[in-house]
């Protein structure tokens, strides 16, 4: 993209719950910068007129435009909230270089063990003071299909492979830079891949190419798998999940992201005992990660270079 370089902003607005911590971390290394921070819902038009750059995961809801801001540093790996906000194309958009893979891998592993070891059922039996012997199958030896083979998908694959899980992958190009995958296929082959999977782990961002990737047609080809989604809600045809569970295409689901967030109170997913719901917390931005990502990109801009983490608006990441 064309962007005037070098760019050396000095007035930075931070819209985040942890804005004070992020500001302190930046200030410790760059005391020359002027920093103004608030919870993102409290960021005002005046704040954005003052600022030259903005740090935050989402566009402040109370403003109609980004004022004087010429650069936005998204604190998350996924930038769909910015892509969906009719952002001025002249504004530079960069994303966090922080690796969310390890934390999301822990989320996936915890859900797989909880389901395979029937933790929720045993907890319910304990509350009822009911002795409930049952057969428990091992996680080792099962088959996981990881959809998305980037940083997050590779971390999930590495963790599962270490547990003795047979891991295959699916990606847009059908490639992955990790020996944890025994094989990687193109995402266009998903309907032919899901039938042999015990676990289908979704780890792709919201992009034009990924929306609806896990469609009803793909779900109908599953043979009792568990679906785990830590990517974006738009990737899965959410309205087809109750049917998939009732028909036995899926035996369960662990969902951290949804088509609408917060998940509406009338969603049947809340009360389905086969579904584990978490509120988009599988991979959280850290204070140091947010500050480091901003400073890394700032250093590139001050040198007259576009940062490595510039978002390709066509691809959506």
């Amino acid at each position: 993209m064309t962007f005037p370089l070098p760019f050396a902003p000095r007035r930075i607005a931070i819209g985040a719950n942890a804005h004070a911590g992020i500001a302190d971390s930046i200030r410790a290394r760059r005391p020359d910068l002027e920093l103004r921070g608030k919870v993102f819902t409290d960021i005002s038009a005046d704040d954005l007129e003052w600022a030259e750059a903005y740090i935050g995961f989402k566009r402040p809801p109370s403003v109609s435009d980004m004022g004087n801001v010429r650069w936005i540093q998204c604190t998350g790996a996924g930038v769909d909230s910015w892509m969906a906000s009719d952002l001025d194309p002249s504004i530079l958009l960069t994303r966090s270089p922080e690796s969310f893979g390890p934390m999301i891998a822990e989320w996936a592993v915890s859900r797989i063990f909880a389901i395979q070891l029937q933790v929720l059922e045993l907890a319910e039996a304990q509350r009822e003071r009911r002795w409930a012997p049952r057969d428990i199958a091992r996680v080792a030896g099962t088959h996981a299909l990881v959809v998305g083979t980037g940083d997050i998908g590779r971390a999930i694959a590495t963790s599962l492979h270490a547990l003795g899980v047979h891991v295959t992958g699916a990606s847009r190009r059908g490639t992955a830079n990790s020996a944890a995958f025994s094989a990687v296929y193109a995402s266009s082959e998903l309907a032919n891949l899901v039938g042999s999977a015990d676990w289908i782990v979704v780890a792709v961002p919201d992009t034009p190419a990924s929306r609806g990737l896990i469609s009803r047609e793909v779900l109908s080809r599953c043979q009792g798998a568990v679906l785990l989604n830590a990517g974006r809600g738009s990737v899965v045809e959410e309205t087809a999940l109750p049917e998939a569970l009732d028909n036995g295409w899926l035996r369960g689901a662990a969902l951290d992201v949804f088509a609408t967030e917060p998940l509406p109170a009338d969603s049947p997913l809340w009360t389905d005992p086969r579904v584990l719901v978490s509120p988009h917390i599988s991979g959280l931005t850290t204070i140091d990660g947010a500050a480091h990502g901003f400073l890394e990109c700032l250093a590139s801009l001050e040198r007259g270079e576009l940062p490595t983490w510039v978002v390709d608006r066509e691809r959506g990441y």
Side-chain angles (χ1 to χ4, degrees):
M1 65 173 295
T2 301
F3 187 79
L5 294 171
F7 180 57
R10 289 298 174 267
R11 297 188 302 277
I12 318 300
I14 306 169
N17 289 339
H19 60 85
I22 295 170
D24 287 344
S25 185
I26 293 172
R27 192 176 290 114
R29 285 170 276 186
R30 290 295 301 266
D32 57 308
L33 300 179
E34 298 179 55
L35 303 170
R36 181 185 293 186
K38 297 178 180 177
V39 175
F40 93 101
T41 52
D42 292 339
I43 292 288
S44 68
D46 287 342
D47 295 321
L48 299 181
E49 284 299 326
W50 170 84
E52 299 167 279
Y54 179 82
I55 302 171
F57 183 56
K58 294 182 178 180
R59 179 172 178 164
S62 62
V63 300
S64 59
D65 59 52
M66 292 303 292
N68 193 47
V69 169
R70 307 318 309 153
W71 166 38
I72 294 167
Q73 170 72 10
C74 179
T75 54
V79 297
D80 45 292
S81 60
W82 288 107
M83 297 295 291
S85 66
D86 193 28
L87 187 65
D88 184 338
S90 69
I91 295 177
L92 181 70
L93 177 62
T94 55
R95 62 182 178 87
S96 173
E98 183 169 8
S99 175
F100 299 95
M103 186 175 183
I104 294 177
E106 290 181 359
W107 175 90
V109 168
S110 71
R111 268 61 183 174
I112 287 173
F113 272 110
I115 291 167
Q116 192 77 341
L117 301 183
Q118 303 178 47
V119 171
L120 295 183
E121 294 90 337
L122 289 169
E124 179 65 24
Q126 179 180 346
R127 282 191 293 271
E128 298 172 356
R129 304 188 182 193
R130 175 170 49 87
W131 192 254
R134 68 217 29 244
D135 292 329
I136 298 288
R138 292 193 64 193
V139 169
T142 59
H143 172 208
L145 171 65
V146 178
V147 184
T149 61
D151 171 66
I152 294 170
R154 291 194 301 270
I156 293 169
T158 299
S159 294
L160 293 177
H161 176 73
L163 295 169
V165 177
H166 175 69
V167 186
T168 55
S171 68
R172 186 167 57 90
R173 295 189 180 92
T175 59
N177 183 24
S178 173
F181 294 101
S182 63
V184 181
Y185 304 90
S187 299
S188 58
E189 297 296 316
L190 275 175
N192 299 321
L193 299 173
V194 294
S196 63
D198 299 297
W199 317 99
I200 301 166
V201 189
V202 180
V204 292
D206 174 85
T207 69
S210 70
R211 289 170 199 146
L213 190 63
I214 310 298
S215 63
R216 180 187 180 280
E217 169 61 23
V218 169
L219 292 170
S220 72
R221 303 288 286 275
C222 296
Q223 300 291 321
V226 173
L227 176 71
L228 298 92
N229 189 7
R232 284 295 184 267
S234 62
V235 179
V236 174
E237 190 173 342
E238 192 174 290
T239 56
L241 290 179
E243 179 187 9
L245 290 160
D246 290 342
N247 287 343
W249 304 339
L250 298 177
R251 68 183 176 99
L255 308 171
D256 187 58
V257 289
F258 302 89
T260 299
E261 295 180 3
L263 181 64
D266 60 356
S267 170
L269 299 174
W270 279 116
T271 55
D272 193 317
R274 299 162 295 188
V275 178
L276 294 176
V277 170
S278 56
H280 203 148
I281 56 169
S282 61
L284 299 177
T285 301
T286 64
I287 288 173
D288 284 345
H292 172 78
F294 167 77
L295 291 171
E296 179 182 328
C297 291
L298 176 62
S300 294
L301 292 170
E302 289 174 332
R303 290 194 303 268
E305 304 168 0
L306 283 178
T308 301
W309 309 101
V310 170
V311 172
D312 183 326
R313 305 253 186 129
E314 293 293 324
R315 294 195 298 178
Y317 58 91

